C-alpha cells in the first residue's frame, strides 16, 4: 500500500517547559543537557533517522504523539542515540553481548558488558546506514532477515535476522551469551549456528532448566551458570567482578524493576489511562532493557513515575487514547500489536505478559547474589509451567481491567504458540474475557503490517 | 509394505516378533489387572531402566505418517509445532490405537522442548498424569551433570510414589543388564543388515526396533537372541549382486512407526537404505555405558550419549553427534546421505545446511528432504530422490562401484 509520508515533529511550544526538566547522566559519567536533547530530537535525529519521524499510522515503531509527556521525549532520545552509544562503548573496549528477551540483565552490566536483545541488535543493524526512510529501513531489515533465513531456515522466527546481523558483522557483537529456554526454543539453535564458518566469536549459554519449581538444585545449577557468564564477560571487559559488584548492580536494577511496578500500578489505578499505549508499553521495556544504559534509563523511569502520578491526580489522559477506550491485554511471544492502530480502533493496551513478567520479581539483595538472581529468574511467571503461568496471566487481566486478551505470536515461534490455546482457555475460564490469536507473518516489518492489524482491529470491534 | 529391498531368505523369527506385537496389548491389559503401571514415554532421556526396575510396563509413545492425527493434534497444540508432536497430541487425544488407552502415566523429558509442551497440553486437555524430567542444555558442564543427577533422582522418587514400588539396587541392576543386552543385539542387527549378503534388510531391522517400543523387554530380548541365532543358520543369498543399489544413509528428524513415505520412495527408486542415526532407529541404542546400578550412574550414562540435536553444542570440532555420524557413514559404507527433516522440527532443520556442508566436504552426496505427513509432496520428493540417486549411481560408476 502506498503510504503518504507524514512527518512527526516536536513542537517548539513545548521547548521551554521541556528544558526545565534537566538533562540525563550516563553510566560512563558523561552528561547531556536538556537543550542538547532538544537539539538532537528536533534537528539531528530527523536528519539522521528520518524513518523514526514517519508519522504514518502504520509505522509500528513510530514516536509517541504525547509530546507533553517529557520523560517520553527522553526515552526517544535514548532510543535514537543507542547506535552512537554502542559504537562508542565498543570502541572503548566495552563488550557488546547478544542475549535474548526476558532475562535479567544484572550479571551483564555487573561484568562490564552491554547486553542487547535481538530486537535492539536489529535496530542497531538497520540504523548503521543513516538517512533511511521507513520503506528503506524495512528493506534493509528484510535483506538481513533473508540472509539469516537462507543460511538457517525459513522456519525460524525473526530473531534469525539479529543472528544474521551478527554473523555478517553488520554490527560488532563481541559475545553471544543468552539464557536458553526462557521463552524461546529457537534461541539455542540460533546460537549454535554461529559455530560454523564464523570467526572465533565467543559464545556462552546460560541454561534455564525447565521443570524448575520447588527444587533447590535448579537454583544451584543456574547460579553456577551465571558465575560462568560473569567470568566470560569479565574476560572481555577486563573488569574485576566481586560479589559486591553484582550486589550493587542488583540493587540498581531492582530500582528499575520497582519503578516499573509502581508506574504500572499507578497507570492501572487511573480512571483514564494517563499514558497512551506506546508510552505505557515502553515502561517495562525500559526497566528490563535499559537501551544500553541503566543509569540514564532509571532517571527516565523516575521522571516517568512523577509525570504519571501528576496525570493520575489531575485526571489527564494520554494523547491518542479514546474516551472509554476498550482495554486489551497482550499475551504471547515477543511481538506486539501496532499501538497506534489499536488506539485508532478505540482501544488501549493495558498489559503484556512477557515484559510485565520480568519486572514482577525483585531480586533479593543480601546473601549470595548469584543464587538470588537464579531464584528470581526461576520464578518469573511467564516461564513457569503453563498452568501456573496462565493463572498469573488471568490475575494480570483482572488487575488491568482488560476487556479482551490478544494472543499474538511470530511466524516460526513454536514454543509459545504451542500453549497459546491452553493459556487463552484458562484465562477465559478464570476471567470470562474473550481472546483471539493473531499470527504475525510480516516478520521484521515496520510498515505493511495490515494483515495482523486488521485482525487486531476486528477483535477490538468484537469486544 | 512396499519395498524393492527384500531379502530372499526370510528369517522366521521376524514373524514371531510380528505375532508377539499382535498379542501385546492384551498382555499389557492383563499386567494392568495385576497392578502394574503402564508408563508411556517420549523424547530422549527417559531411562527405561528405571521404569522396568519399578515393575512398570514401559511403552515408547509415538506415531507418524497420519495426517488426520496431525489435524486433530493441531486443535490443541499449534500448527507451528512439528508434525510428530501434533500427531502424538492427536493420538493421545483420540485414544483409538491399541496402546494409548492403556497408559497410566506419560513420562517426558525436556530435551526437545516441543515435546515438553506436548506433555503440558495433553495433561491439561486430556487429563494425562505426567512426569517431567528436566534435561540440562549445558550438558557437558559439571553443574549440568550434577543438575541432571538430581533431576533424575527427583523423577525417580516421583515414579516410586506413582507406582508404589521402591527402587532396589538388584532390580535396577537387572534392568540395566537387560537393556544393555537389547542394545547390543540391535547394534549387531544393524551391522548385519549392512553386509552384502544379509538376510535381513534395514527396513526389517527398523521394524524390529519399533516392535521393541511395545514388547515386554525380557521377551523382546529372547526374540532378538533367537533371531540372531537363526541368522547364523540361514544360507547366504547367492542371487544378490552387491553394489547395484546406491547405499543410502538416513539422518535427521525421527521417522516414527507409520511414517514410511520417504522410506517407500527411496526403496521404490532403487536406493538401499543401509543405516541411520535416527532417534527412532539406531541412535538410541548407541553408546550408553552405565557404570553402576545407581540412579546417578544412569544419569551420567544417558547424558554422555551422543547428544540429541535439541541440545546445543557450541564447538563444532568436538561435536560428538557429527563425529558419530561420520563414523557410522564409514562403518555402513554409505554412499549417500538423505537428511530427513520434519516441518517445524527446529533441532534438525536448523542444522541441515551445516550438516550438508560438512558431509559434502567429507565426500558424501547429501540431500535434504523437508517434509511432513501430508501426501501432497510425494511426487516432488520422488523427483528429487530420483535425481539424487541417479547422481549417486553416476558417481559410483565413475568410481567403479564399491
Ligand atoms: S526433535 Fe524434531 S521431530 Fe523430534 S519432537 Fe522435536 S521437533 Fe519434533
Amino acid at each position: 500500500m502506498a503510504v503518504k509520508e507524514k512527518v512527526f515533529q516536536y513542537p517548539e511550544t513545548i521547548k521551554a517547559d521541556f528544558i526545565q526538566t534537566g538533562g540525563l547522566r550516563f553510566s560512563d559519567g558523561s552528561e547531556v543537557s536538556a537543550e542538547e536533547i532538544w537539539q538532537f530530537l528536533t534537528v539531528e535525529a530527523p536528519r539522521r533517522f528520518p524513518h523514526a519521524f514517519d508519522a504514518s499510522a502504520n509505522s509500528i515503531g513510530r514516536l509517541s504523539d504525547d509530546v507533553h509527556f517529557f520523560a517520553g521525549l527522553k526515552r526517544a532520545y535514548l532510543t535514537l542515540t543507542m547506535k552512537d552509544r554502542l559504537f562508542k562503548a565498543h570502541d572503548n573496549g566495552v563488550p557488546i553481548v547478544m542475549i535474548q528477551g526476558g532475562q535479567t540483565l544484572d550479571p551483564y552490566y555487573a561484568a562490564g558488558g552491554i547486553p542487547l536483545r535481538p530486537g535492539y541488535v536489529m535496530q542497531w543493524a538497520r540504523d548503521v546506514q543513516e538517512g533511511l526512510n521507513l520503506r528503506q529501513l524495512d528493506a534493509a531489515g528484510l535483506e538481513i532477515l533473508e540472509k539469516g533465513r537462507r543460511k538457517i531456515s525459513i522456519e525460524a522466527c525473526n530473531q534469525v535476522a539479529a543472528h544474521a546481523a551478527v554473523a555478517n558483522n553488520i554490527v560488532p557483537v563481541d559475545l553471544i551469551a543468552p539464557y536458553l529456554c526462557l521463552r524461546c526454543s529457537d534461541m539455542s539453535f540460533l546460537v549454535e549456528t554461529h559455530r560454523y564458518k564464523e570467526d572465533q566469536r565467543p559464545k556462552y549459554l546460560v541454561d534455564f532448566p525447565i521443570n524448575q519449581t520447588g527444587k533447590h538444585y535448579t537454583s544451584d545449577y543456574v547460579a553456577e551458570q551465571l558465575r560462568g557468564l560473569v567470568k566470560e564477560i569479565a574476560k572481555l571487559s577486563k573488569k574485576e567482578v566481586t560479589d559486591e559488584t553484582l550486589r550493587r548492580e542488583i540493587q540498581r536494577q531492582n530500582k528499575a524493576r520497582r519503578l516499573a511496578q509502581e508506574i504500572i500500578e499507578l497507570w492501572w489505578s487511573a480512571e483514564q489511562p494517563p499514558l497512551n499505549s506506546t508510552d505505557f508499553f515502553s515502561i517495562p521495556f525500559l526497566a528490563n532493557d535499559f537501551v544500553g544504559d541503566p543509569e540514564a534509563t532509571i532517571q527516565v523511569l523516575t521522571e516517568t513515575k512523577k509525570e504519571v502520578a501528576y496525570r493520575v491526580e489531575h485526571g489527564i489522559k494520554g494523547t491518542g487514547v479514546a474516551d472509554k477506550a476498550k482495554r486489551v491485554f497482550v499475551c504471547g511471544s515477543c511481538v506486539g500489536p501496532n499501538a497506534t492502530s489499536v488506539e485508532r480502533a478505540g482501544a488501549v493496551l493495558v498489559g503484556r505478559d512477557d515484559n510485565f513478567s520480568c519486572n514482577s520479581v525483585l531480586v533479593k539483595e543480601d546473601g549470595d547474589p548469584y543464587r538470588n538472581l537464579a531464584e528470581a529468574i526461576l520464578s518469573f511467571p511467564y516461564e513457569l509451567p503453563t498452568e501456573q503461568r496462565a493463572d498469573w496471566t488471568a490475575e494480570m487481566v483482572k488487575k488491568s481491567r482488560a476487556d479482551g486478551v490478544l494472543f499474538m505470536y511470530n511466524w516460526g515461534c513454536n514454543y509459545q504458540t504451542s500453549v497459546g490455546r491452553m493459556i487463552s482457555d484458562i484465562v477465559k475460564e478464570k476471567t470470562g474475557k474473550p481472546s483471539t490469536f493473531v499470527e504475525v507473518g510480516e516478520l521484521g516489518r515496520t510498515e505493511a503490517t495490515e494483515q495482523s492489524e486488521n485482525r487486531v482491529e476486528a477483535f477490538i470491534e468484537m469486544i | 509394505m512396499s519395498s524393492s529391498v527384500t531379502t530372499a531368505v526370510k528369517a522366521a523369527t521376524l514373524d514371531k516378533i510380528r505375532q508377539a506385537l499382535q498379542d501385546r496389548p492384551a498382555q499389557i491389559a492383563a499386567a494392568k489387572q495385576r497392578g502394574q503401571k503402564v508408563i508411556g514415554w517420549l523424547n530422549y532421556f527417559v531411562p527405561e531402566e528405571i521404569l522396568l526396575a519399578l515393575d512398570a510396563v514401559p511403552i515408547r509413545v509415538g506415531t507418524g505418517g497420519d495426517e488426520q492425527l496431525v489435524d486433530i493434534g493441531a486443535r490443541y497444540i499449534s500448527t507451528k509445532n512439528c508434525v510428530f508432536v501434533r500427531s502424538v497430541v492427536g493420538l493421545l487425544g483420540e485414544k483409538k490405537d491399541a496402546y494409548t488407552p492403556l497408559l497410566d502415566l506419560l513420562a517426558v523429558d525436556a530435551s526437545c522442548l516441543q515435546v515438553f509442551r506436548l506433555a503440558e497440553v495433553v495433561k491439561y486437555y486430556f487429563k494425562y498424569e505426567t512426569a517431567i524430567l528436566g534435561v540440562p542444555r549445558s550438558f557437558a558442564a559439571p553443574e549440568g551433570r550434577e543438575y541432571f543427577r538430581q533431576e533424575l533422582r527427583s523423577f525417580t522418587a516421583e515414579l516410586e510414589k506413582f507406582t508404589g514400588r521402591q527402587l532396589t539396587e538388584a532390580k535396577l541392576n537387572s534392568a540395566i543388564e537387560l537393556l544393555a543386552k537389547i542394545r547390543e543385539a540391535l547394534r549387531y542387527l544393524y551391522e548385519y543388515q549392512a553386509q552384502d549378503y544379509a538376510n535381513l534388510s534395514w527396513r526389517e531391522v527398523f521394524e524390529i526396533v519399533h516392535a521393541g517400543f511395545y514388547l515386554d523387554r525380557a521377551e523382546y530380548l529372547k526374540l532378538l537372541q533367537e533371531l540372531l541365532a537363526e541368522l547364523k543358520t540361514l544360507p547366504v543369498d547367492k542371487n544378490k549382486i552387491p553394489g547395484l543399489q546406491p547405499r543410502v544413509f538416513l539422518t535427521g528428524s525421527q521417522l516414527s512407526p507409520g511414517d514410511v513415505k520417504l522410506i517407500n520412495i527411496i526403496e521404490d527408486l532403487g536406493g538401499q537404505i543401509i543405516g541411520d542415526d535416527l532417534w527412532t532407529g539406531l541412535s538410541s541404542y548407541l553408546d550408553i555405558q552405565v557404570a553402576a546400578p545407581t540412579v546417578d550412574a544412569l544419569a551420567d550414562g544417558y547424558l554422555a550419549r551422543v547428544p540429541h540435536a535439541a541440545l546445543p553444542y557450541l564447538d563444532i570440532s568436538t561435536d560428538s553427534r557429527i563425529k558419530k555420524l561420520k563414523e557410522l557413514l564409514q562403518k555402513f559404507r554409505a554412499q549417500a546421505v538423505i537428511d530427513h527433516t520434519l516441518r517445524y522440527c527446529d533441532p534438525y532443520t536448523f542444522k541441515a545446511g551445516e550438516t550438508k556442508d560438512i558431509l559434502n566436504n567429507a565426500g558424501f552426496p547429501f540431500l535434504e528432504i523437508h517434509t511432513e505427513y501430508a501426501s501432497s509432496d510425494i511426487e516432488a520428493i520422488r523427483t528429487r530422490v530420483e535425481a539424487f540417486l541417479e547422481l549417486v549411481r553416476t558417481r559410483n560408476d565413475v568410481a567403479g562401484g564399491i
Side-chain angles (χ1 to χ4, degrees):
Chain A
M1 189 179 82
V3 181
K4 256 205 208 122
E5 255 185 58
K6 285 196 251 158
V7 179
F8 173 85
Q9 270 179 319
Y10 290 107
E12 279 297 309
T13 47
I14 60 166
K15 180 175 174 184
D17 287 342
F18 176 72
I19 285 173
Q20 295 293 316
T21 63
L24 287 171
R25 275 179 320 278
F26 291 95
S27 304
D28 65 1
S30 62
E31 288 187 17
V32 60
S33 69
E35 284 92 341
E36 286 168 317
I37 294 176
W38 180 261
Q39 178 72 11
F40 181 85
L41 287 177
T42 54
V43 180
E44 187 176 339
R47 176 176 47 79
R48 294 174 64 197
F49 311 109
H51 58 81
F53 293 82
D54 187 317
S56 34
N58 65 343
S59 157
I60 200 165
R62 59 171 292 181
L63 295 168
S64 167
D65 282 330
D66 197 339
V67 295
H68 296 284
F69 171 49
F70 292 150
L73 269 68
K74 290 182 183 168
R75 185 189 78 239
Y77 175 80
L78 284 181
T79 309
L80 292 166
T81 55
M82 188 187 81
K83 167 190 167 174
D84 296 347
R85 288 184 287 108
L86 289 176
F87 275 123
K88 181 176 155 202
H90 180 260
D91 290 347
N92 289 335
V94 176
I96 311 290
V97 189
M98 184 179 183
I99 59 160
Q100 77 151 310
Q103 52 188 91
T104 50
L105 305 190
D106 315 52
Y108 297 87
Y109 282 111
I114 295 184
L116 278 192
R117 49 160 72 183
Y120 280 131
V121 170
M122 269 314 279
Q123 184 194 321
W124 188 17
R126 290 188 311 185
D127 275 342
V128 164
Q129 196 192 338
E130 298 189 354
L132 304 183
N133 64 25
L134 198 57
R135 178 137 312 158
Q136 291 164 326
L137 184 86
D138 251 15
L142 289 177
E143 197 188 317
I144 301 173
L145 176 74
E146 281 318 312
K147 271 190 186 143
R149 295 177 112 186
R150 268 201 307 276
K151 180 181 167 197
I152 299 164
S153 165
I154 194 173
E155 287 170 10
C157 79
N158 61 344
Q159 293 199 63
V160 77
H163 287 270
V166 174
N168 292 289
N169 294 314
I170 298 170
V171 284
V173 163
D174 303 287
L175 170 70
I176 302 174
Y179 298 178
L180 297 185
C181 315
L182 264 176
R183 51 193 51 206
C184 167
S185 50
D186 281 9
M187 182 48 82
S188 67
F189 309 126
L190 290 174
V191 174
E192 206 181 29
T193 60
H194 294 275
R195 69 185 186 167
Y196 186 57
K197 280 194 179 165
E198 237 178 86
D199 56 346
Q200 289 307 302
R201 196 186 329 271
K203 294 170 274 303
Y204 185 87
L205 299 172
V206 178
D207 189 8
F208 180 90
I210 295 298
N211 195 27
Q212 73 272 37
T213 41
K215 296 167 180 169
H216 68 92
Y217 57 85
T218 51
S219 310
D220 294 341
Y221 175 38
V222 175
E224 202 47 43
Q225 300 259 292
L226 291 172
R227 274 194 191 91
L229 171 72
V230 165
K231 277 193 201 126
E232 203 64 34
I233 302 168
K235 256 194 248 165
L236 300 171
S237 69
K238 317 241 176 331
K239 184 175 167 182
E240 198 201 321
V241 190
T242 63
D243 282 6
E244 197 41 42
T245 325
L246 183 55
R247 234 174 258 128
R248 276 202 303 274
E249 189 57 42
I250 289 172
Q251 283 163 5
R252 174 159 83 161
Q253 299 202 15
N254 267 346
K255 223 188 272 175
R257 291 184 269 261
R258 220 172 270 123
L259 277 164
Q261 287 177 11
E262 289 164 359
I263 299 167
I264 290 166
E265 293 288 343
L266 263 173
W267 194 98
W268 279 348
S269 72
E271 208 35 62
Q272 294 279 21
L275 296 179
N276 64 27
S277 307
T278 305
D279 288 323
F280 182 47
F281 265 27
S282 70
I283 291 154
F285 258 123
L286 280 178
N288 182 243
D289 261 315
F290 305 113
V291 210
D293 199 300
E295 208 51 48
T297 301
I298 289 172
Q299 209 186 315
V300 171
L301 283 169
T302 310
E303 292 177 20
T304 299
K305 188 182 157 194
K306 268 195 211 135
E307 290 190 58
V308 172
Y310 180 86
R311 286 182 171 201
V312 174
E313 202 185 319
H314 295 86
I316 301 170
K317 191 162 55 100
T319 308
V321 183
D323 289 331
K324 298 207 179 87
K326 287 290 166 196
R327 300 167 73 91
V328 175
F329 192 93
V330 184
C331 287
S333 58
C334 42
V335 59
N338 178 337
T340 317
S341 81
V342 165
E343 288 184 350
R344 202 178 41 201
V348 64
L349 302 174
V350 296
R352 182 169 171 160
D353 60 354
D354 66 341
N355 297 104
F356 280 39
S357 161
C358 325
N359 294 147
S360 69
V361 179
L362 295 178
V363 185
K364 270 202 295 187
E365 293 181 5
D366 52 352
D368 177 354
Y370 291 98
R371 220 192 140 76
N372 292 342
L373 269 173
E375 280 169 4
I377 299 163
L378 289 165
S379 63
F380 282 173
Y382 188 84
E383 275 78 26
L384 289 178
T386 301
E387 288 193 52
Q388 291 176 47
R389 168 182 168 185
D391 286 347
W392 171 81
T393 312
E395 275 312 300
M396 293 293 107
V397 169
K398 284 185 200 157
K399 271 178 123 175
S400 61
R401 291 177 283 125
D403 299 304
V405 179
L406 182 62
F407 198 99
M408 274 188 111
Y409 60 90
N410 267 325
W411 157 264
C413 170
N414 42 34
Y415 196 47
Q416 292 301 328
T417 53
S418 50
V419 287
R421 173 172 168 196
M422 185 172 156
I423 292 173
S424 300
D425 283 351
I426 296 174
V427 172
K428 198 188 266 166
E429 188 194 308
K430 303 224 151 157
T431 65
K433 299 298 172 195
S435 59
T436 194
F437 291 94
V438 176
E439 174 179 299
V440 180
E442 314 102 344
L443 294 188
R445 285 185 185 275
T446 45
E447 63 157 11
T449 54
E450 292 84 357
Q451 280 227 18
S452 33
E453 270 171 40
N454 287 343
R455 277 186 228 142
V456 173
E457 282 172 24
F459 177 63
I460 293 169
E461 248 165 57
M462 196 270 281
I463 60 174
Chain B
M1 186 186 283
S2 145
S3 168
S4 67
V5 184
T6 43
T7 45
V9 189
K10 279 278 161 223
T13 321
L14 251 181
D15 288 332
K16 273 190 165 179
I17 293 175
R18 288 176 186 138
Q19 185 55 50
L21 207 50
Q22 295 288 320
D23 303 339
R24 186 59 180 152
Q27 256 180 29
I28 297 178
K32 262 172 90 87
Q33 291 285 330
R34 291 193 302 271
Q36 273 183 279
K37 297 285 186 198
V38 182
I39 301 185
W41 67 271
L42 275 157
N43 243 350
Y44 193 72
F45 281 98
V46 176
E48 278 200 350
E49 286 85 345
I50 291 192
L51 311 188
L52 289 173
L54 292 174
D55 289 332
V57 177
I59 292 180
R60 207 170 142 184
V61 178
T63 185
D66 186 334
E67 267 185 88
Q68 232 183 338
L69 288 180
V70 174
D71 286 345
I72 295 166
R75 289 183 212 147
Y76 301 94
I77 205 157
S78 116
T79 51
K80 289 288 165 292
N81 286 106
C82 87
V83 278
F84 169 72
V85 162
R86 275 181 273 161
S87 133
V88 174
V89 171
L91 178 83
L92 293 168
E94 286 285 280
K95 296 195 174 106
K96 284 193 180 146
D97 66 316
Y99 294 100
T100 312
L102 298 169
L103 296 179
D104 293 307
L105 178 133
L106 203 59
V108 172
D109 70 71
S111 46
C112 176
L113 290 178
Q114 298 201 44
V115 179
F116 163 70
R117 285 301 203 208
L118 173 158
E120 291 196 301
V121 167
V122 300
K123 180 180 178 199
Y124 179 71
Y125 286 110
F126 312 132
K127 309 296 169 224
Y128 279 90
E129 191 85 45
T130 58
I132 307 291
L133 172 67
V135 175
R137 256 67 197 159
S138 299
F139 57 94
E143 66 269 21
R145 201 170 89 155
E146 180 52 29
Y147 161 75
F148 192 56
R149 283 180 168 197
Q150 303 254 25
E151 187 66 6
L152 193 56
R153 279 184 225 161
S154 142
F155 177 79
T156 305
E158 199 180 333
L159 292 186
E160 281 181 331
K161 211 162 132 203
F162 180 76
T163 54
R165 312 282 159 105
Q166 206 62 41
L167 193 78
T168 65
E169 194 184 308
K171 286 207 163 184
L172 188 57
N173 199 26
S174 37
I176 291 170
E177 279 175 7
L178 172 64
L179 292 177
K181 283 184 189 148
I182 289 177
R183 290 178 189 127
E184 195 189 335
L186 291 174
R187 284 196 302 268
Y188 174 82
L189 284 181
Y190 258 87
E191 283 172 31
Y192 174 83
Q193 61 79 33
Q195 293 170 12
D196 288 340
Y197 297 101
N199 280 307
L200 209 58
S201 67
W202 171 86
R203 189 170 188 140
E204 285 159 340
V205 174
F206 205 50
E207 186 192 347
I208 293 166
V209 167
H210 291 176
F213 291 6
Y214 308 101
L215 292 182
D216 172 79
R217 302 311 187 250
E219 162 118 15
Y220 183 51
L221 176 63
K222 257 184 32 211
L223 288 165
L224 289 176
Q225 284 169 339
E226 222 175 282
L227 176 64
L228 259 47
E230 188 191 359
L231 289 173
K232 287 190 182 127
T233 66
L234 292 180
V236 163
D237 180 4
K238 290 281 192 255
N239 295 323
K240 242 178 149 184
I241 309 170
L244 285 185
Q245 294 172 301
R247 296 172 67 88
V248 176
F249 187 94
L250 281 178
T251 186
S253 313
Q254 58 185 305
L255 281 162
S256 303
D259 183 6
V260 288
K261 181 168 74 176
L262 181 62
I263 300 173
N264 285 347
I265 293 175
I266 295 171
E267 293 188 348
D268 284 351
L269 292 168
Q272 185 192 356
I273 304 173
I274 43 73
D276 70 77
D277 70 345
L278 302 175
W279 165 227
T280 45
L282 177 60
S283 186
S284 47
Y285 305 103
L286 290 173
D287 303 326
I288 297 193
Q289 308 288 350
V290 185
T294 63
V295 173
D296 285 1
L298 264 176
D300 294 351
Y302 270 73
L303 209 54
R305 266 195 311 180
V306 172
H308 185 280
L311 302 187
Y313 201 95
L314 297 184
D315 181 1
I316 199 161
S317 60
T318 56
D319 183 342
S320 52
R321 198 180 57 84
I322 304 237
K323 203 169 141 229
K324 184 52 108 193
L325 175 55
K326 284 183 172 170
E327 224 176 272
L328 293 174
L329 292 176
Q330 296 296 341
K331 184 177 201 157
F332 293 128
R333 291 178 291 132
Q335 294 167 329
V337 179
I338 294 187
D339 188 7
H340 162 258
T341 56
L342 277 180
R343 186 138 304 159
Y344 303 123
C345 169
D346 299 345
Y348 289 96
T349 305
F350 286 20
K351 291 189 207 349
E354 174 197 274
T355 313
K356 178 178 184 167
D357 252 29
I358 293 171
L359 293 188
N360 275 167
N361 286 340
F364 293 99
F366 183 101
L367 175 71
E368 183 195 354
I369 295 293
H370 193 53
T371 183
E372 49 191 346
Y373 297 158
S375 47
S376 51
D377 60 358
I378 284 189
E379 285 315 312
I381 296 177
R382 185 185 295 278
T383 310
R384 296 188 62 213
V385 172
E386 192 167 19
F388 179 68
L389 291 178
E390 215 30 63
L391 179 139
V392 179
R393 280 193 193 97
T394 316
R395 202 170 173 269
N396 287 351
D397 287 347
V398 173
I402 47 168

